[in-house]
C-alpha cells in the first residue's frame, strides 16, 4: 500500500508575547518531506534567529544527504548529523555576537521519504521540549522525550510523571540546539505508518495547557489538517497559554 500525507501548520504569537520566537515549516522536496517545529529562546531577537536557523539548516542538510540507497539506519544517522550541524552553526553564531550569546532553540521533526516501498516509515527526532505525538485508534502516544530538568527527575525516579507536569523545572531545559549537550545528536524513532494515523509536532505553548486527552480527541475528529492545526492553536490560547503556540498536524492516507 502506498501512502500520502495531508499536512496543516500553524504558528501564533499568542496573547502575552511581543514577538514570535517559534518557527514552523513543511519542506517538500522531490523525494522527501521534512516537517519541522522549533521554539527559540535567548531574549532580544536571538530566539527568533535560532529557531529560523534550525528550520533552515536541518532540511538543507537532509536534502543533500538522504539518498535513495540509504537504509533506515542510514537515514537515522543522517537525521542526527543534520541536527548536530544545526547545533554547531547556532553555537558559532552565539560565540561571534554578544547579543546572541545565550540563544538556543528546541526542535522536533518528522521526515518522510516519498519513494515507493519506503513511504511506510516516518523518522522522528527532537531536542528540547517540543514534542511529537502519534494518534492512532483514538489513542495518543508521545514519541519524543523532553530534555527538561523535570523529565530528568522522572527518569531518576525522584518525582512521578504526574508531578512533572506542574513541576517548577518543567520548562528548564538541559539540552537544546545551542548547547554542548546535543553531542552526537538525539535518538531517532522510526514509526511504521498505518492508514488513518495522525501525528502532531508542537511547541510547549500547546502541550503546556492542553491535555493529551483533549489533543487526541481534537485531532481524531478533525477532517481538514490545516483547520485542525489552526484550531489547536486557538484551543491553547482559549486555555490561556502564555507562550507562542505552534504545531504541524499530519494525516496519513492511502495514495
Amino acid at each position: 500500500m502506498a501512502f500520502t500525507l495531508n499536512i496543516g501548520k500553524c504558528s501564533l504569537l499568542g496573547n502575552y508575547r511581543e514577538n514570535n520566537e517559534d518557527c514552523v515549516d513543511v519542506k517538500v522536496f522531490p523525494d522527501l518531506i521534512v516537517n519541522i517545529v522549533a521554539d527559540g529562546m535567548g531574549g532580544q531577537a536571538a530566539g527568533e534567529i535560532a529557531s529560523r536557523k534550525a528550520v533552515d539548516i536541518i532540511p538543507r542538510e537532509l536534502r543533500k544527504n538522504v539518498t535513495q540507497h540509504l537504509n533506515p539506519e542510514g537515514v537515522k544517522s543522517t537525521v542526527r548529523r543534520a541536527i548536530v550541524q544545526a547545533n554547531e552553526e547556532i553555537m558559532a553564531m552565539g560565540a561571534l555576537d554578544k547579543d546572541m550569546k545565550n540563544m538556543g532553540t528546541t526542535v522536533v521533526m518528522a521526515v518522510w521519504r516519498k519513494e515507493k516501498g519506503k513511504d511506510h516509515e516516518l523518522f522522528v527526532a527532537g531536542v528540547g521540549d517540543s514534542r511529537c505525538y502519534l494518534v492512532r485508534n483514538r489513542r495518543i502516544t508521545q514519541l519524543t522525550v523532553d530534555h527538561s530538568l523535570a523529565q530528568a527527575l522522572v527518569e531518576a525516579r525522584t518525582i512521578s510523571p504526574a508531578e512533572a507536569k506542574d513541576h517548577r523545572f518543567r520548562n528548564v531545559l538541559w539540552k537544546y540546539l545551542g548547547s554542548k549537550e546535543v553531542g552526537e545528536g538525539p535518538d531517532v524513532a522510526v514509526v511504521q505508518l498505518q492508514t488513518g494515523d495522525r501525528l502532531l509536532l508542537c511547541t510547549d505553548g500547546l502541550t503546556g495547557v492542553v491535555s493529551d486527552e483533549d489533543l487526541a480527541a481534537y485531532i481524531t475528529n478533525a477532517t481538514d489538517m490545516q483547520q485542525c492545526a489552526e484550531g489547536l492553536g486557538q484551543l491553547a490560547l482559549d486555555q490561556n497559554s502564555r507562550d507562542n503556540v505552534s504545531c504541524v498536524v499530519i494525516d496519513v492516507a492511502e495514495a
Side-chain angles (χ1 to χ4, degrees), residues 33-84:
I33 295 179
V34 182
N35 306 275
I36 187 165
V37 174
D39 181 354
M41 63 195 89
Q44 303 293 328
E48 292 176 52
I49 293 169
S51 62
R52 168 49 63 188
K53 290 291 285 185
V55 168
D56 286 344
I57 294 166
I58 292 171
R60 178 196 78 199
E61 293 298 305
L62 293 174
R63 186 184 189 187
K64 282 194 301 187
N65 298 309
V66 175
T67 56
Q68 289 188 351
H69 71 274
L70 280 183
N71 61 21
E73 286 302 315
V75 177
K76 289 164 70 171
S77 177
T78 304
V79 168
R80 283 193 293 270
R81 287 200 308 272
I83 290 171
V84 170

Side-chain angles (χ1 to χ4, degrees), residues 21-35:
E21 294 186 319
D22 292 354
C23 191
V24 174
D25 209 351
V26 178
K27 300 279 192 183
V28 180
F29 302 123
D31 54 359
L32 194 70
I33 295 179
V34 182
N35 306 275

Side-chain angles (χ1 to χ4, degrees), residues 210-252:
V210 181
S211 70
D212 287 3
E213 294 76 17
D214 287 347
L215 291 173
Y218 197 97
I219 293 167
T220 297
N221 293 327
T223 54
D224 179 280
M225 292 305 100
Q226 183 56 37
Q227 291 179 6
C228 179
E230 293 170 2
L232 286 170
Q234 190 58 50
L235 184 63
L237 299 188
D238 291 345
Q239 295 191 24
N240 206 34
S241 176
R242 303 187 70 85
D243 204 350
N244 310 135
V245 182
S246 300
C247 64
V248 172
V249 187
I250 304 167
D251 170 62
V252 180

Side-chain angles (χ1 to χ4, degrees), residues 77-200:
S77 177
T78 304
V79 168
R80 283 193 293 270
R81 287 200 308 272
I83 290 171
V84 170
Q85 180 66 32
N87 188 54
E88 290 175 351
E89 293 192 33
I90 289 168
M91 288 181 68
M93 284 186 67
L96 288 171
D97 187 336
K98 61 180 174 54
D99 291 334
M100 310 273 176
K101 181 180 177 183
N102 297 314
M103 79 173 179
T105 184
T106 71
V107 69
V108 64
M109 55 199 284
V111 181
W112 183 69
R113 291 191 286 180
K114 299 179 185 179
E115 304 153 57
K116 188 175 181 180
K118 298 177 182 176
D119 61 353
H120 62 288
E121 295 171 331
L122 191 75
F123 297 84
V124 172
V127 177
D129 61 356
S130 294
R131 296 176 178 176
C132 180
Y133 291 89
L134 170 66
V135 180
R136 177 180 286 171
N137 299 326
R138 308 189 76 88
R139 296 186 57 161
I140 188 166
T141 304
Q142 186 176 330
L143 301 179
T144 50
V145 177
D146 292 354
H147 297 123
S148 66
L149 293 185
Q151 179 61 31
L153 292 172
V154 171
E155 292 171 7
R157 299 187 177 180
T158 304
I159 63 173
S160 69
E163 289 172 318
K165 291 181 179 180
D166 299 313
H167 198 276
R168 60 196 173 104
F169 292 154
R170 70 186 183 278
N171 298 126
V172 180
L173 302 182
W174 65 270
K175 179 160 68 173
Y176 52 89
L177 296 191
S179 70
K180 294 178 181 176
E181 283 72 18
V182 170
E184 297 302 308
D187 291 337
V188 181
V190 184
V191 182
Q192 301 295 325
L193 296 175
Q194 300 178 13
T195 302
D197 282 351
R198 299 224 164 137
L199 292 108
L200 169 67

